[in-house]
Amino acid sequence: MEYGSQTANTADSLAGDLKNAAADAGDALKNTGQQLGDQLGERYQGARAKFQKTMGTAKTNLSAMEEKVGARTRDAVDTTDQFVKEHPWQSVGIGAVAGLVIGFLMMRR
């Protein structure tokens, strides 16, 4: 089950990085807005509001996607783990055949 935890950690790390990037973009927008908001007027404020709405939607979608990917990954890992436990020799055979196929493909290049 160690592989599954590595995959989940990678997905969590990616989602965390995307959330941090979104937060940094939002902070940059706030700081810029505070410095330039008075100078640029309504047009800038409208663009800023639209961007903030888009960022909010992106954060919501990212959270939903993170949950879906995490659930699907855990399901796939659990199913694979169960299959390997129930059919160990078939799993060894499948791994050996896959290794041979990959080896042959790599030799051709």
Side-chain angles (χ1 to χ4, degrees):
M1 198 70 156
E2 185 176 318
Y3 177 76
S5 64
Q6 290 173 348
T7 304
N9 288 341
T10 302
D12 290 343
S13 176
L14 177 61
D17 290 345
L18 289 172
K19 284 182 181 179
N20 288 339
D24 290 346
D27 290 343
L29 183 64
K30 276 184 189 175
N31 293 335
T32 303
Q34 289 171 354
Q35 295 169 359
L36 299 175
D38 295 333
Q39 299 170 2
L40 299 177
E42 289 181 25
R43 192 169 181 192
Y44 174 77
Q45 294 299 331
R48 181 175 175 223
K50 183 177 178 182
F51 182 75
Q52 286 176 331
K53 182 179 178 184
T54 302
M55 288 298 294
T57 302
K59 285 180 184 179
T60 302
N61 291 342
L62 178 62
S63 294
M65 183 181 69
E66 179 184 6
E67 289 176 21
K68 276 186 181 179
V69 169
R72 291 176 107 181
T73 301
R74 282 186 295 276
D75 289 345
V77 168
D78 290 342
T79 301
T80 303
D81 189 46
Q82 182 181 0
F83 179 82
V84 170
K85 287 179 181 177
E86 291 175 2
H87 308 286
W89 288 110
Q90 288 178 350
S91 301
V92 169
I94 291 169
V97 169
L100 288 171
V101 169
I102 291 171
F104 285 129
L105 291 175
M106 290 180 71
M107 285 178 42
R108 296 181 94 197
R109 289 186 179 209

